[in-house]
Amino acid sequence: MGDYYHTRQNYADHPVFFSAKTSNYIYYYPSKSWWLIGPTLGSEYASLLVASDALSPLDIAPDASWFESAATGWERAQSLVFGCNPAPNVD
């Protein structure tokens, strides 16, 4: 999944995170109460999702069930480790 950092912008009154490495956003999709990961902010089409009404991806439970897009629909993601950073790390 890569590292995602807060963009200091909101979508649907929730914070947006972005990975420069994968060019994907993490954003809240309010009509389904999903957090999505995909290349187009606000799109209902994404590569990963988790059903959660968390206020921020930082608050998504570590043991939440993520699903990935597959040819047959959504399948439970295996061996997925998820975490967000509130700001870039600096040394």
Side-chain angles (χ1 to χ4, degrees), residues 16-73:
V16 174
F17 285 67
F18 182 75
S19 169
K21 183 176 181 180
T22 65
S23 296
N24 281 315
Y25 293 92
I26 298 178
Y27 57 93
Y28 187 70
Y29 194 72
S31 66
K32 301 281 188 175
S33 296
W34 289 343
W35 283 93
L36 299 175
I37 297 179
T40 306
L41 179 61
S43 174
E44 67 182 32
Y45 301 103
S47 56
L48 290 163
L49 73 79
V50 62
S52 172
D53 59 0
L55 295 178
S56 167
L58 295 165
D59 301 323
I60 296 171
D63 60 349
S65 295
W66 283 85
F67 293 85
E68 57 188 333
S69 180
T72 57

